[in-house]
Amino acid sequence: MTGCCLQERSLTGTWTSKSRSVFTGPGFYDPVEDKMFPPKLTGISYSFTDDGYFEESLYRVSSNPTTPECSISVLQWQHGTFQKLDNGSLLLNPFPNDGRQILSNPCLGMTSRYTRFSVRELIIKFDIVVDQYYKGYKLQLYQFDGTPVQPLYLAYFPPQMLPTVVFNSVSQKNYKRSFQSHIFFRIPDPDYVWWVGIFMILLGSVGYFMI
């Protein structure tokens, strides 16, 4: 953890999952070149500001035990504003034209599909506690149905984020890039693989409620 300490129960900062490989900011997505950069390990990261902005980075791999070379990978990035509702929930409202997703299936056409991505998320509740093992702040988010997601740990304060403004889109078209020539997704250590359904990944879902 870098920087000073958060006030109790403040969301402000950059939070990352246990692999500590995925972070928000320019190391994950470059809006000028319109490029995404696959981390070494899977994971998720959220950043929040004091004035109501958020950013999210996600890298997942769905492993195929029978044909490991056919594992499906997904990179997702989005940012926007968030609201704290009266019932304690969080509603994340992404800027609809800024989000990006790369979906790779090496056994289906040997291509990676690069598209826009925008999913509103409802976090029904959240808790911030001091983790005695890691000696730092831990953020626990709960999905719309109360299911906890994997814990997140404070990585940066102030948050490490791209500018909290709407970016100009480079193109209105989807892109297909050669899996072999341009994008290579390293299959991570099995301890960090998130076993998620292929169908959900193909929909570009992050497992949260889409509003």
Side-chain angles (χ1 to χ4, degrees), residues 9 83-91 122-127 142-144:
R9 298 190 64 80
Q83 300 169 263
K84 291 183 179 179
L85 306 182
D86 292 339
N87 62 0
S89 300
L90 298 176
L91 182 60
L122 177 64
I123 298 171
I124 197 65
K125 67 175 182 176
F126 67 94
D127 294 314
Y142 296 85
Q143 299 177 18
F144 71 97

Side-chain angles (χ1 to χ4, degrees), residues 109-123:
M110 298 300 292
T111 60
S112 296
R113 187 169 178 81
Y114 191 26
T115 62
R116 297 184 186 277
F117 173 77
S118 179
V119 174
R120 299 179 73 194
E121 299 178 26
L122 177 64
I123 298 171

Side-chain angles (χ1 to χ4, degrees), residues 1 16-20 129-139 150-155 192:
M1 180 174 67
T16 187
S17 53
K18 186 178 179 181
S19 68
R20 297 185 180 272
V129 299
V130 175
D131 188 282
Q132 297 300 323
Y133 181 80
Y134 289 101
K135 306 299 182 183
Y137 285 105
K138 178 175 71 175
L139 171 63
Q150 62 174 314
L152 303 174
Y153 300 90
L154 182 63
Y192 296 110

